[in-house]
Amino acid sequence: MGSSEGKSIIFFFLMGSMLILSQLMSDSDYIKNSRIGSKSANFNLKIIIIIVFCTFILGLLFEIWIRTKFGVSIFTTFVSTSPSLSSSSIIHSHVFKSMLAMLVTDSGIYVPSNIHTGISIAQYIPKVE
């Protein structure tokens, strides 16, 4: 999982939330009777694949946008030193980690200092308000 504990926490949070949501959705009469519950499992899988693909493309566009903003090649590793050292590249992107860290920080949840969140990259990503 690399040198960062943040990736492990994000991974287990996403997996745990999916397990909880899948149980809630399978037990809920409201969802079973709705349009979502009446669709086949293949349809829901296709929707998830499309969402993941679009998220991946959006992350790559942010990586390219950061580099074009500074006038460097897209194959250059971007390093931010303020407030802490973080790096990101097209091949090993930390854009998602920094965006999730920004969401967690804005929600007021405490993140221990030993967990590298990549928050210094988040200052270069446009913030939706």
Side-chain angles (χ1 to χ4, degrees):
M1 298 295 286
S3 62
S4 172
E5 294 174 1
K7 288 181 269 186
S8 302
I9 291 170
I10 292 170
F11 174 75
F12 288 120
F13 171 75
L14 290 175
M15 290 302 293
S17 62
M18 283 191 276
L19 288 172
I20 291 169
L21 286 174
S22 69
Q23 289 302 310
L24 290 174
M25 290 176 74
S26 66
D27 292 340
S28 173
D29 290 333
Y30 175 74
I31 292 178
K32 285 181 184 175
N33 296 329
S34 70
R35 281 192 264 163
I36 296 171
S38 64
K39 299 287 183 183
S40 68
N42 286 337
F43 176 78
N44 293 332
L45 181 62
K46 288 176 187 175
I47 293 296
I48 290 171
I49 290 171
I50 290 169
I51 290 170
V52 167
F53 181 74
C54 290
T55 306
F56 172 72
I57 296 298
L58 184 67
L60 283 179
L61 290 174
F62 279 135
E63 287 282 349
I64 293 169
W65 184 73
I66 289 171
R67 281 159 187 77
T68 56
K69 182 177 168 183
F70 290 107
V72 296
S73 169
I74 61 171
F75 302 110
T76 303
T77 300
F78 179 74
V79 179
S80 176
T81 58
S82 174
S84 63
L85 185 64
S86 291
S87 64
S88 187
S89 69
I90 294 288
I91 297 171
H92 188 92
S93 179
H94 287 147
V95 168
F96 296 114
K97 184 168 76 166
S98 64
M99 289 199 293
L100 286 173
M102 190 174 9
L103 286 173
V104 168
T105 304
D106 289 348
S107 67
I109 299 172
Y110 171 72
V111 179
S113 61
N114 64 326
I115 296 174
H116 185 263
T117 58
I119 198 76
S120 58
I121 296 173
Q123 63 187 330
Y124 301 104
I125 301 168
K127 190 172 183 179
V128 177
E129 308 230 1

